[in-house]
Structures are given as C-alpha cells and as structure tokens.
Amino acid sequence: GNTSQPAETQVAVVAVDTNPPTAVIGAPREIPEGTSLKLDASRSRDAEGRIVSYRWTHVSGDGGSMTRGRAAEVTTTSFPVPADARNPLKPGNHVFELVAVDEAGNESKPARTTVTVNAVDSTPPVAAIAGPREITEGDALTLDASRSRDAAGGTIEVYRWTHASGRGGAMPPGKPVETKTPSFEVPQARNQALDPGRHIFELTVVDAAGNESQPARATVVVTPPPEKASPQDKSPPPGKSPALSPPALPGQPPALRKP
C-alpha cells in the first residue's frame, strides 16, 4: 500500500512544418537543336524551412537521356538536362516538371515549363554570280549576286567577293571583300584600273544560320582602249596606195592627186 512520490517530466511540443514549399522553374523559351539546356530552380522557396531536394521530370518531347515520367532528384538548384551528341533533344516542344521537397518532407505542387527546340538549318546556300564578259580598260565593272539563293528558305546575309586572278584594280589579291547587298562594284582608282587581260572573280554567300556556299566564279576580259589616230597621221588606210596624177611631162616627177 506504499505510495511513491509523484514523478514529473517536461515535454516540449514542437510545431510540425506542414506547409509545402513553392517550386519555380527558370528556363529559356527556346534553344537551337544540338545545344545544351540548363533548368534553374533558384527562385523556388519554402516559407518555414529550407528546400533540400529538387525532382525534375521530362514530361514530353523526343530525345535526350532522361526516361519519360521518371524523376531525377538533385540537391542543387541548377539542372543540366541530360543529353549528348548521339541523343540530343529533338526539335519540337519539351515539357519539364519540377517538385521541390523541404527538410520536413513536404512536397511542392508540380511546376511546369515548356522549352522549344528549334531545328538548325544546315543546308548551305547557292552562290550565283553574273557580270559582263568583256569591258574596256578604265570602265567600271559591276558584278551581281541577286540570283544566289538559300535552299532552306532562309536569307543570305553576307556576300564575299574575291579577285581571284588578274592584275590591277584596288582589291587586295585573294582577300575577300564582304557586302550586305548583292550588287558589287569592283574597286578601281585613277591609277589602279584593271589591267587588260583575263580576270576571275569569286563569290561566296553566307546565310543567316552561318552556312557558307561553294564558291561561284565569273571571268571578265578587260580589253585595251581602241587606238586613236593622230591628227598629223595622213597615211592612207591599210591596202590603199596614194592616188597618182596623170603622167608628168618628161623630166618632171609625178604629182600626187588630191583625194
């Protein structure tokens, strides 16, 4: 019937964190095919604690090394999407999902983002060069590339002109001159005209995707200017002899007949 002394203890009641964090994804809207993609979760937040892990899922889209629907869990806010040269992200829309988990085990609602992978134009354009076949020394020479085209439907951004062979002119031999327009007047100066002879000019065009065409060539012959007859030159045309007057009297030389 003996009764013990009362025993006392203190129990600390700790509030349980039941508030889930908030997941926020940072990502580019679009990337070119073949480039890496990095997703970012640094703007995710937890009101009562800290986020300890991030679960990333590739929900839809072809290519890449992630298994569709299976989350990859990391502890850092930066996430390079697994892909390589043999298995890149294919052109099209790709949906990625993020779930953030805090230290109390609370999971955020999924956040999603869509990234568009754009197909890369790898088709080179076609250069076409036009110009006169022949000019006279000292004349201006204009070459034209307006018939050049980009087979993939893009635009040509750069025209590269080279004086491949021939003497004279103001272009450094073998050094291309770039223009933004298809018309090109070959540089000449008063004392730097294109010399008579055969001149070869080369054109290479570059499209907006950076693809470069095969060179196209045009040949222009520069002829010397026609000879101008001297005013003092009274010689008859080739094949004609000066006409003679009727025979003179004996002992006198024949006189030339006026034409």
Side-chain angles (χ1 to χ4, degrees), residues 111-122:
R112 288 191 172 190
T113 190
T114 300
V115 178
T116 301
V117 177
N118 295 320
V120 173
D121 172 13
S122 59

Side-chain angles (χ1 to χ4, degrees), residues 13 16 34-35 50 52 66 79 137 148 153 160 166 196 228 230:
V13 178
V16 176
T35 58
R50 64 186 183 90
V52 295
M66 294 181 71
F79 181 68
E137 182 184 7
S148 302
R160 291 181 183 150
K228 294 183 178 179
S230 170

